[in-house]
Amino acid sequence: PTQVAEMVMHDHADIAIATEAISNYKELVSLPCFQWHHVAIMPADHPLLQRKQLSLEDLAQYPLITYEAAFAGRTKINEAFARRNLTPDVVLEAIDADVIKTYVELGLGVGIMADIAFNAERDKHLRAMPVGHLFGTNLTRIALKQGAYLRSYVYTLVELLSPSLTRKLIEQALKGEHENYEL
C-alpha cells in the first residue's frame, strides 16, 4: 500500500487501490471503493468446521496463515488478538490470497483472508467460515493524486470498481470540493 501510494504521488501511476494506509497521505484523495470481511479457510475435514461460529480462542489453537502486516486488514487481525491477550501462531505471511490458500491446502494451518478472494467453486478442497465478527469490516479505498488530470479510462475504471464514484464526484474530490458531495 505504501508503494502504490508513493507511485501515485510521484506520477508513476494514476490510481492506487488498497485497504491499508492510502488514506493517510494528504497529497492523495482517498475515496471508499468497497467493503469486505475476513474468512477463515481450512480443508474440508478440519475440526473447526464443527463450530457454528468461530472465536479468537478457537483460531489461536491452530497455526495461522494470513496476510503480511501491511496488507489486507492484517492490522485488524493483530489488534483483535492483542485485545484478548492472545498470541496467534502465525506460521506464514503472504501478500496474496492464492498463496494463503495453497498453504492451507498443504495442511500447514488455518488461513485468514479476504472473503472476496474465496470462491467455493474454484476452491473446492477448502471451506470458508466468516470471521468478520472477530475482525470487523474492512474498507478498500481508491486513491488519486490531489489536483491531478485524469484520462477518461481512469474514471471508467473507478466507476467499474465502485459505481457510486461517478466522474462528477471524483472531479469534485480532486478539486478539493469534498464538502459538496456525499459518498
Side-chain angles (χ1 to χ4, degrees):
T2 302
Q3 184 180 13
V4 295
E6 289 176 5
M7 289 175 70
V8 172
M9 289 187 312
H10 295 107
D11 299 318
H12 297 283
D14 292 322
I15 185 173
I17 304 169
T19 301
E20 306 274 347
I22 63 172
S23 61
N24 299 336
Y25 293 88
K26 65 180 183 205
E27 302 91 340
L28 300 178
V29 173
S30 174
L31 302 169
C33 185
F34 59 87
Q35 294 182 350
W36 59 272
H37 297 92
H38 286 98
V39 291
I41 60 164
M42 60 211 77
D45 61 348
H46 199 280
L48 283 179
L49 292 169
Q50 304 306 312
R51 298 270 200 210
K52 286 193 185 284
Q53 189 175 50
L54 296 178
S55 68
L56 289 171
E57 290 78 10
D58 292 331
L59 293 172
Q61 293 178 35
Y62 294 91
L64 299 178
I65 303 164
T66 192
Y67 296 108
E68 196 172 274
F71 290 89
R74 175 64 188 274
T75 302
K76 289 186 175 189
I77 293 170
N78 293 347
E79 289 170 354
F81 281 108
R83 278 192 304 273
R84 297 293 282 273
N85 292 319
L86 294 169
T87 305
D89 180 17
V90 178
V91 295
L92 183 73
E93 297 177 330
I95 61 172
D96 182 82
D98 287 327
V99 172
I100 294 170
K101 290 187 276 190
T102 298
Y103 284 101
V104 169
E105 280 188 33
L106 291 172
L108 294 180
V110 172
I112 300 174
M113 60 179 239
D115 60 354
I116 59 174
F118 183 80
N119 180 313
E121 287 182 32
R122 186 180 63 231
D123 303 319
K124 293 176 185 166
H125 304 295
L126 299 172
R127 300 296 179 268
M129 292 185 73
V131 289
H133 63 284
L134 301 175
F135 305 120
T137 301
N138 294 281
L139 180 62
T140 295
R141 303 183 73 82
I142 295 173
L144 307 160
K145 188 173 181 180
Q146 183 79 42
Y149 170 79
L150 299 177
R151 293 170 189 90
S152 61
Y153 65 82
V154 176
Y155 291 104
T156 301
L157 174 62
V158 172
E159 289 176 340
L160 288 170
L161 291 169
S162 182
S164 64
L165 295 176
T166 64
R167 182 178 184 133
K168 180 180 178 186
L169 189 137
I170 297 164
E171 287 173 342
Q172 287 176 322
L174 289 172
K175 291 178 189 172
E177 298 172 6
H178 50 83
E179 296 84 18
N180 298 333
Y181 64 85
E182 283 189 32
L183 298 176

